[in-house]
Amino acid sequence: MLADRAEEPPLASEIRDPSGRYRCEALVDLGFYPNYSVEVGDVDGDGRMEVAALSTRADLLKVVDLRGRVVLERRLRNSGCWGTATLALADVDGDGRDEVIVPDGPPGDARVVAIDQEGEVVREARVPGAVADDYGLAVPLIAAFERGDGSLGICAAVAGGLVLALNSDFEPLWEIRGLRKDFGHELYVAKVPEGDLVAFVTVDHIRYSSPTVEGELLVVSSEGELLMRKRVRDLIDDTHFDDVAIADFRGAGRLEVLVEKGILMDMEGRVIWDRSALFDHGQWVAHMPNPLGPGRLAFISELWGYEGKSRMLDPHGNTLWTLGKRRHTAIDQAAYPGYVAAPTRAHAIDWSGTGEYEVVLGEQIVKRRGAPRLDVTHELKLFVFSPLGELLAEVPFVDTRRSDFFYNGEVRSRVADVDGDGRLEYVFPRQDGRVMVIGRWP
């Protein structure tokens, strides 16, 4: 909870949990919907995190603290179009404050830069190439990772077929060339003792789904060793994967790769089980320890499927429970014809570090093809489940899908101890441009 919550009571009007357990601790107004372009970190060094986001074109960086104060705003030289650029926050210069690591510049003059609270560039690395991805970005993806010696690494995907890693001084660590022109939606970082693993998808065209478009899934060690490379169409009729998780899912003492379509593979790319037929469009993976035995449970939430097929899978791919269509909010079709409610990214949250996990996800409003362009204000829900499917809370909140904002529906909600009190919070960007910070009270 916020350290000074006695002076700043929870924003009770933002969510209405009858039990009073789940509360809105802060409400941050970005002024736009960030899609993939959002992250959290402590930019001003006060022990609390801020919310950092890029505009839809990725030409504006904005950092807002938990009280709604803009602590950093800077223009960038990007020309994206769908809110697809990812950013990272990390302390690259060792001053106790996170810098915001973003792409800056058009193809042929593109850089990865680290910007401090004062808006100054403290690290900069020029990247080769003169190609833009399908969304107009020269450097579409950036992520921070931890090397085997505990030092910081920065990974960047560069349009044209290059993935490179930098150290905290933005000196080159390693690179992988000869990849496909575009990349999937994120760089997926998995924590392992030997140093983080970085997974990503390289694809001919991320914006198009033609049968001739090919994609590949790669897993790389923190030192740049290629551990896995798998053609997407060898697994499913698609161009890319939307989410990738790496863990010992079956409890056999070996790392395995689970993609959001519901396919588990070993590190050689061999399929262990395939449950893709159970989903309409799996989008995100949240996993947690299996309370019934070895291995891990994995909850896969859908985006473009509206039949409630989001589900929890056990270590062997068996369905333990589903979200269910009946739980979806029914949007008032008389007022908002053609609009429906769909799940958002799911998270497995151990709020207090006790080993007791909860599955948390929200709803969003989706405009179906042909629907009129409207401002849609509607009551939605945040869902909280136990790992075995007990509904712990349905928390109502009101959101507005603003017609002047661009949506791709794939916003990056986060989980972190944003207020520095030792407990985790759920950072949930709403469609009205505001970000709710949700805490769980004992």
Side-chain angles (χ1 to χ4, degrees), residues 158-236:
V158 182
L162 169 67
V163 168
L164 58 84
L166 308 168
N167 64 16
S168 58
D169 291 321
F170 277 35
E171 300 166 336
L173 290 174
W174 48 262
E175 62 180 34
I176 301 174
R177 292 181 175 269
L179 303 172
R180 299 176 188 274
K181 180 179 79 73
D182 288 355
F183 293 90
H185 300 308
E186 300 180 65
L187 295 167
Y188 309 99
V189 178
K191 296 288 181 185
V192 298
E194 300 79 15
D196 292 349
L197 304 182
V198 180
F200 59 90
V201 175
T202 174
V203 60
D204 297 329
H205 291 284
I206 187 57
R207 194 169 178 176
Y208 308 105
S209 57
S210 163
T212 62
V213 173
E214 292 280 355
E216 296 172 280
L217 169 64
L218 285 79
V219 180
V220 183
S221 76
S222 64
E223 300 308 315
E225 179 187 1
L226 181 60
L227 304 177
M228 175 181 168
R229 187 167 188 166
K230 185 74 173 182
R231 180 175 175 262
V232 173
R233 291 194 185 276
D234 287 342
L235 298 169
I236 196 166

Side-chain angles (χ1 to χ4, degrees), residues 276-296:
S276 57
L278 300 176
F279 298 93
D280 289 330
H281 192 282
Q283 185 76 26
W284 300 287
V285 178
H287 58 93
M288 66 219 74
N290 177 15
L292 302 178
R296 302 183 72 80

